[in-house]
Amino acid sequence: MKIAVVGTGYVGLVSGTCFAETGNDVICVDIDQNKVDKLSNGEITIFEPGLEILFKRNLKEGRLTFTTRLEDAVKDSLVIFLALPTPPGEGGAADLKYVLGVADHLGKIMTDYKVIVDKSTVPVGTADKVRAAVAANYKGEFDVVSNPEFLREGVAVDDFMKPDRVVIGASSDRAFEVMDELYGPYVRQGNPVMHMDTRSAELTKYAANSFLATKISFMNEIARMCELLGADVDMVRKGIGSDDRIGKRFLFPGIGYGGSCFPKDVQALVHSASEVNYDFKILKAVEQVNADQKKILMPKIDKHFGSIAGKTVALWGLAFKPNTDDIREAPALELIDELTKRGAKVQCYDPEAMENVKRVIGDKAHFAARMYEALEGADFLIIATEWPEFRTPDFGKIESMLAEKVIFDGRNVFDLDNMQKRGFTYYSIGRKDI
């Protein structure tokens, strides 16, 4: 099948590459000529485990190409995926200017039947708006489909190639048939392809992410209760996670969620509710809990030291979660801001996200080339992202390099008994302080 993917960000590049991997001819479109040149020359522009191998293979085979010309991509393609940014606008509403701008352009250049697919996370009713924008300039046949993505950064290739479900919202049998054929190779083990109307598909994505954000914020609230009541959040987490009605995923407490999906999707769903005069109290509370959670380490630091003015802080982890270079809404950025406001110097390390952070904060922090280099001259250590390499470090080296054996762990990376045996002063989330 011939496919166009408009937008080469995270969703667009993963989707385009994975569609090419099953034999489709995919042409990806982006307005950034520099990015298109890099991708055409084999230089991948995002970090995602497993993606580069597929990307280079399909580029070499000619199944994956890149252009800045929408007309060239649309001409021979049956399916056109819109994988465009939908950033939060005023009041948390998703900004649809990129999606609707492309839809308007499509109507001016289409000459035959196309299936136009909203892959971006968009508010309920967007498919109708896209249909109207295209129809304003094109009077032929076409379909608009909602096909939300459920890709987790760090495991996105596996999520795409082996999805636990595919959601397709459409209004015609013809569109469903095209989409079923396209996704057939990815669901050979029998995982469901769910047919529904476009509005239900659009709401499904927001509902899923908002529910997961709610689970995270609920566990962060339970972690705070554990600290106040002398309970251990790890024990509580295991106790409720074994209930298959709840499940064990998204029950790990920490310093808040971030990334490109949960923050803006919760905001957008709250805004959509307000547009129909519904006060979504639970999700408003989720937003507030998450905002508070990003600051939860600072009272522990202030209480321990009194003042950190003039101290040097080692910070491990900058990305909002491991196995990605995404720093959108990352708790580490807020930590750096709070630490520097208090007069501390920050020395940070992250395996993938440092260049992205540099572009945001400039010289507000020192960026170490290696994880132990961040400890040189540091008074204490903070862990903000649970990268695998942080889980079993050389504790002897940490002890010898820090001025004080003090660690503030925002992701509960280390075992309490182990830290106690090693003589560290250790603060974590929802567990006893040592």
Side-chain angles (χ1 to χ4, degrees):
M1 195 176 294
K2 295 188 182 299
I3 300 168
V5 178
V6 185
T8 61
Y10 177 80
V11 172
L13 191 56
V14 171
S15 299
T17 301
C18 291
F19 278 133
E21 180 66 11
T22 55
N24 298 294
D25 290 325
V26 181
I27 181 166
C28 297
V29 187
D30 202 285
I31 60 172
D32 186 337
Q33 183 67 60
N34 183 54
K35 184 189 250 189
V36 166
D37 290 343
K38 285 182 177 179
L39 291 166
S40 298
N41 291 324
E43 184 179 342
I44 200 161
T45 52
I46 62 172
F47 174 76
E48 178 61 38
L51 182 63
E52 189 167 7
I53 294 172
L54 303 187
F55 168 78
K56 289 188 173 179
R57 176 162 64 223
N58 285 283
L59 193 67
K60 181 181 177 182
E61 294 295 328
R63 291 191 297 264
L64 184 63
T65 57
F66 299 88
T67 183
T68 58
R69 288 180 51 81
L70 185 62
E71 295 86 348
D72 294 345
V74 168
K75 182 174 60 175
D76 297 322
S77 296
L78 172 60
V79 185
I80 304 163
F81 283 89
L82 306 184
L84 296 154
T86 54
E90 187 175 349
D95 189 342
L96 295 176
K97 65 182 177 183
Y98 302 110
V99 171
L100 297 180
V102 169
D104 179 73
H105 194 180
L106 286 174
K108 297 173 182 176
I109 61 178
M110 284 166 47
T111 59
D112 59 357
Y113 176 78
K114 308 289 184 187
V115 178
I116 301 167
V117 184
D118 284 329
K119 197 67 174 169
S120 308
T121 301
V122 292
V124 175
T126 298
D128 298 334
K129 293 178 181 179
V130 169
R131 187 177 293 110
V134 174
N137 298 298
Y138 176 67
K139 304 309 176 186
E141 285 189 275
F142 69 96
D143 277 301
V144 178
V145 168
S146 175
N147 173 222
E149 54 84 16
F150 298 97
L151 305 179
R152 296 168 294 159
E153 294 186 47
V155 289
V157 172
D158 280 348
D159 283 347
F160 197 101
M161 300 301 291
K162 295 177 283 187
D164 55 12
R165 84 287 201 198
V166 176
V167 172
I168 299 172
S171 57
S172 80
D173 289 340
R174 187 177 184 182
F176 280 127
E177 288 171 6
V178 170
M179 296 300 288
D180 286 348
E181 179 184 346
L182 179 58
Y183 275 105
Y186 306 95
V187 292
R188 294 179 64 203
Q189 292 182 340
N191 289 347
V193 177
M194 300 178 178
H195 289 188
M196 58 185 72
D197 61 275
T198 56
R199 286 178 171 249
S200 295
E202 289 163 343
L203 186 54
T204 294
K205 174 59 186 289
Y206 280 113
N209 278 354
S210 295
F211 181 73
L212 295 177
T214 301
K215 281 186 76 173
I216 293 169
S217 290
F218 177 81
M219 279 309 296
N220 282 332
E221 291 271 62
I222 292 297
R224 296 185 203 180
M225 289 294 294
C226 285
E227 292 186 9
L228 294 170
L229 297 172
D232 186 323
V233 75
D234 284 344
M235 300 297 103
V236 176
R237 171 178 58 79
K238 292 172 184 175
I240 67 173
S242 60
D243 185 330
D244 59 13
R245 297 169 301 171
I246 296 172
K248 61 186 179 182
R249 293 175 59 192
F250 293 91
L251 292 181
F252 290 85
I255 50 175
Y257 60 75
S260 62
C261 294
F262 289 1
K264 74 178 182 68
D265 289 357
V266 171
Q267 285 180 24
L269 190 50
V270 169
H271 185 272
S272 292
S274 71
E275 289 186 321
V276 291
N277 298 314
Y278 181 72
D279 183 14
F280 211 142
K281 296 183 180 70
I282 289 175
L283 284 191
K284 286 182 178 179
V286 167
E287 286 187 296
Q288 188 58 57
V289 168
N290 195 57
D292 293 344
Q293 200 70 19
K294 290 182 178 182
K295 299 179 173 67
I296 201 164
L297 281 184
M298 291 312 304
K300 296 174 183 279
I301 294 170
D302 291 337
K303 183 178 179 181
H304 180 88
F305 289 106
S307 170
I308 57 170
K311 291 190 178 294
T312 298
V313 184
L315 176 62
W316 282 357
L318 298 171
F320 87 94
K321 72 172 191 175
N323 297 317
T324 181
D325 60 354
D326 194 340
I327 62 166
R328 286 172 285 188
E329 302 284 342
L333 298 181
E334 198 152 327
L335 272 172
I336 292 171
D337 188 54
E338 291 294 328
L339 291 164
T340 53
K341 279 181 182 176
R342 287 164 167 75
K345 175 187 175 184
V346 179
Q347 298 179 167
C348 52
Y349 171 78
D350 188 283
E352 295 293 339
M354 289 196 292
E355 287 302 319
N356 289 339
V357 174
K358 282 181 187 178
R359 285 193 285 269
V360 173
I361 70 169
D363 60 358
K364 185 180 278 189
H366 169 75
F367 297 89
R370 295 175 178 83
M371 58 187 279
Y372 294 111
E373 183 184 310
L375 302 178
E376 292 179 0
D379 292 286
F380 61 97
L381 170 64
I382 299 175
I383 300 173
T385 312
E386 63 276 31
W387 283 93
E389 63 203 76
F390 300 159
R391 292 191 177 276
T392 52
D394 184 335
F395 286 104
K397 185 176 286 189
I398 294 175
E399 179 181 349
S400 67
M401 296 183 75
L402 290 178
E404 298 185 46
K405 292 175 62 175
V406 180
I407 297 175
F408 296 87
D409 184 354
R411 297 298 179 185
N412 290 4
V413 171
F414 301 139
D415 177 73
L416 289 177
D417 290 339
N418 186 36
M419 299 307 289
Q420 191 162 28
K421 287 175 185 176
R422 293 180 180 276
F424 280 89
T425 300
Y426 179 67
Y427 298 90
S428 56
I429 308 296
R431 306 186 295 183
K432 68 178 181 179
D433 297 330
I434 296 173

